[in-house]
Amino acid sequence: MNILYKYRDFSTRTNEIITDKKIWLAKPSTLNDPLECQIEEFERSKLNKYAQKSKEVQLAGFLFEAMRCHKCKDDFFGLKGRRLKQFISKIGKLKDQNRKYKLANKLMIESGTNGLSDPIKEAKSISEQLQNIGVFSLSEDPCNMLMWSHYGNNHKGVALGFSQLPNSKLSDSDFCCRVNYKDDVNQFDFEEDHLSGLEYRVETGGRLSVNGYVPLKDEQVQIAMFTKTKDWEYEKEWRYIEEKYGSYDFPSELSEVVFGLSSDETSRNDFIRLCKNNIANPVQFKKIVRIKGTTKLGIELIKI
């Protein structure tokens, strides 16, 4: 079972991670790489082609939901029973996809919803969506000299080890992946199939609403989120992500705590006590040591 590490200093905020069992997923613009989670500006011709294809996907989702509602005798944007059946028949007889799309959109708007999402705006919103995700950066290496220097208070801090337990978010590739390091520009390829479509929700009062979206598990969106330039390769980073930045519960068990080479005994003992008082599952406590006769870092267990 792999363990992923979050390098921290000793601070009130680090203590709160343990007492609250909450972590902060940061907005990309607050991270130390100015190129985080960005994609190149879209080419107009490719954008238009994508828009047409996206409309087809939206229309297919609209009709599927209409037929499901008819079968289940549910209300569909104000239509039910025979009226809904007649509408499905009417839209099915239209040959032109754009006319079908307009008819579907008209029904939704007349029912009081915002109508089908504009694929052009939807595509352009991908960049905005990427800038509002939450990112929790971890490293697979607890003995990383530069990571301790940059993020572990010059080796005086601590690394929190979260296990990639089965069924946890850290073992789910939709939420957590190893970062890929390359110097290519992230471009959104509209020739690829995307999961763009419609999300139906029942609002207060039973009204059905619909929203267009390109979910985070879209392959190319994930490429933008899990790619960094080779300058950062030394970090050996993994990322746990959520659709919105903010505070979240632990994505898996905190199973290991590693203290920096230059951490002092008082800080270590205080933190061990804090963990024992607040973390229910067993936690191993370790410390970084210099491997004798080398300039490399090693790790050893602290016997409690």
Side-chain angles (χ1 to χ4, degrees):
M1 179 174 58
N2 292 332
I3 297 178
L4 301 177
Y5 298 89
K6 182 67 175 179
Y7 286 82
R8 297 284 309 179
D9 59 352
F10 285 118
S11 65
T12 300
R13 175 67 194 110
T14 301
N15 289 347
E16 287 173 351
I17 291 175
I18 303 302
T19 56
D20 299 344
K21 290 175 277 294
K22 297 275 188 181
I23 56 173
W24 180 262
L25 274 63
K27 195 173 181 178
S29 61
T30 66
L31 302 177
N32 53 11
D33 183 353
L35 304 180
E36 290 285 6
C37 302
Q38 293 187 14
I39 51 180
E40 285 290 276
E41 188 173 346
F42 304 132
E43 292 181 26
R44 189 72 196 184
S45 60
K46 291 183 178 180
L47 191 57
N48 289 337
K49 187 175 179 180
Y50 167 77
Q52 186 60 37
K53 189 173 182 180
S54 181
K55 285 183 178 181
E56 292 173 6
V57 173
Q58 289 191 30
L59 186 58
F62 174 89
L63 291 173
F64 177 85
E65 185 67 12
M67 288 185 284
R68 186 197 68 77
C69 287
H70 180 258
K71 182 179 179 180
C72 298
K73 297 181 169 51
D74 291 338
D75 180 272
F76 184 74
F77 297 108
L79 299 181
K80 197 173 183 179
R82 188 175 67 176
R83 291 180 63 213
L84 178 53
K85 183 178 180 180
Q86 289 173 341
F87 176 83
I88 294 171
S89 176
K90 180 180 178 180
I91 201 170
K93 289 177 182 178
L94 295 175
K95 302 298 182 184
D96 183 72
Q97 286 292 104
N98 286 327
R99 290 182 67 192
K100 289 184 178 183
Y101 187 84
K102 286 180 180 178
L103 185 59
N105 209 30
K106 182 172 181 287
L107 173 68
M108 293 169 63
I109 291 172
E110 287 178 349
S111 73
T113 68
N114 293 326
L116 294 166
S117 61
D118 183 340
I120 299 289
K121 290 181 180 178
E122 178 187 300
K124 289 182 176 179
S125 73
I126 294 170
S127 294
E128 181 180 339
Q129 181 183 1
L130 285 171
Q131 292 309 308
N132 284 293
I133 66 166
V135 178
F136 189 64
S137 299
L138 300 129
S139 175
E140 63 186 53
D141 184 6
C143 299
N144 190 310
M145 183 73 77
L146 290 176
M147 291 293 285
W148 278 111
S149 297
H150 296 163
Y151 305 110
N153 192 25
N154 291 318
H155 301 261
K156 299 184 186 74
V158 62
L160 307 178
F162 295 91
S163 297
Q164 289 185 293
L165 292 173
N167 301 318
S168 73
K169 286 190 172 181
L170 292 191
S171 63
D172 186 339
S173 60
D174 284 347
F175 292 95
C176 184
C177 284
R178 179 185 278 114
V179 168
N180 180 39
Y181 298 97
K182 63 176 186 177
D183 290 330
D184 299 336
V185 173
N186 288 322
Q187 292 182 319
F188 200 79
D189 184 1
F190 289 104
E191 298 302 316
E192 295 289 335
D193 287 331
H194 299 287
L195 299 176
S196 173
L198 300 179
E199 176 185 52
Y200 291 88
R201 288 200 303 265
V202 178
E203 304 287 358
T204 305
R207 191 179 62 138
L208 193 65
S209 72
V210 63
N211 296 282
Y213 68 104
V214 177
L216 290 186
K217 59 183 170 182
D218 178 274
E219 182 179 353
Q220 292 189 84
V221 174
Q222 290 231 335
I223 287 172
M225 291 188 295
F226 293 110
T227 301
K228 294 183 75 169
T229 62
K230 290 185 176 180
D231 293 330
W232 303 96
E233 201 163 8
Y234 74 91
E235 294 186 337
K236 299 180 181 178
E237 183 180 351
W238 286 66
R239 285 185 164 176
Y240 158 47
I241 59 166
E242 293 282 359
E243 289 193 1
K244 181 71 175 175
Y245 63 91
S247 179
Y248 288 85
D249 294 333
F250 284 178
S252 189
E253 279 189 0
L254 175 70
S255 60
E256 195 171 289
V257 171
V258 183
F259 298 106
L261 179 67
S262 301
S263 61
D264 64 86
E265 186 175 4
T266 299
S267 296
R268 292 198 299 266
N269 289 338
D270 288 345
F271 202 77
I272 289 172
R273 188 161 46 251
L274 185 72
C275 290
K276 283 183 167 294
N277 289 338
N278 290 278
I279 305 299
N281 60 272
V283 178
Q284 282 195 325
F285 299 96
K286 301 180 179 181
K287 64 180 178 180
I288 295 295
V289 295
R290 183 173 69 85
I291 299 175
K292 191 174 181 179
T294 75
T295 57
K296 295 186 179 299
L297 300 179
I299 193 168
E300 68 176 30
L301 183 67
I302 297 176
K303 295 179 181 178
I304 306 298

